[in-house]
Amino acid sequence: MLRSTASFKKLSFLFLAFCMIFLLAAPLQASAKPRDEPKKPGKLTLSSLYYEVNENQGSITITVHRIGGKDGVVSVKYCNCSLTAKAGEDFNHVSGVLVFGDGETKKTITVPIVDDSKPESPEGFSVYLKEPTGGATLGLFASFVTIRDNDKK
């Protein structure tokens, strides 16, 4: 009977030790779980303030970056506007919506350039971002594009 009492005490001690370890470790496990971080949809920004394109290049590609966060789906509208260059004569008007999926950080806008045969001075147009959605904000939202003429004067 002594042997069984000693065995019982040993098992009781092991059980108590296991329970203490479990109770002490449980708060550590709970604090090791990541907290729900606030979503960061990011800022949508054009990659440059100025672009240049040769008239015979065919098109220019404008890059839009998503910085400072990439959580969730966000979108932004874009369009281009005449300055000294004329839509339909020097470049084609484009507008639309860029949609960034969760984790996406880069999109592009392509503007076709019209290669005419008239000698002319450099001309320009602008590209704009507007009305971001999904919690995103705007960074650099306007860029200016200069079209360099390729015709001899």
Side-chain angles (χ1 to χ4, degrees):
M1 186 140 192
L2 274 178
R3 186 173 170 114
S4 65
T5 304
S7 295
F8 179 75
K9 285 182 180 180
K10 195 179 215 182
L11 282 174
S12 296
F13 175 77
L14 289 174
F15 178 75
L16 182 60
F18 176 78
C19 288
M20 292 301 289
I21 291 170
F22 179 78
L23 289 174
L24 292 174
L28 295 175
Q29 290 174 347
S31 65
K33 291 181 183 177
R35 292 183 185 166
D36 287 337
E37 294 292 326
K39 299 288 184 193
K40 294 181 182 177
K43 183 183 291 189
L44 304 175
T45 185
L46 293 161
S47 63
S48 180
L49 182 57
Y50 299 103
Y51 291 89
E52 287 188 12
V53 61
N54 290 322
E55 185 180 62
N56 62 351
Q57 193 169 319
S59 67
I60 185 164
T61 301
I62 310 293
T63 304
V64 179
H65 292 281
R66 183 181 188 181
I67 59 173
K70 54 185 177 177
D71 296 336
V73 176
V74 300
S75 68
V76 65
K77 292 181 181 179
Y78 67 89
C79 64
N80 60 357
C81 298
S82 296
L83 295 173
T84 55
K86 293 182 180 141
E89 291 181 26
D90 300 307
F91 69 96
N92 289 339
H93 176 73
V94 296
S95 64
V97 178
L98 297 175
V99 179
F100 292 77
D102 186 38
E104 281 190 291
T105 60
K106 182 177 163 183
K107 293 285 185 179
T108 58
I109 301 166
T110 300
V111 180
I113 304 298
V114 177
D115 186 8
D116 60 23
S117 58
K118 297 185 298 187
E120 48 200 353
S121 299
E123 299 173 302
F125 64 91
S126 57
V127 176
Y128 294 101
L129 300 178
K130 60 184 181 176
E131 300 176 29
T133 67
T137 58
L138 289 178
L140 178 62
F141 63 89
S143 287
F144 303 95
V145 179
T146 299
I147 303 171
R148 299 216 174 271
D149 189 43
N150 66 328
D151 302 306
K152 295 190 182 204
K153 295 179 183 178

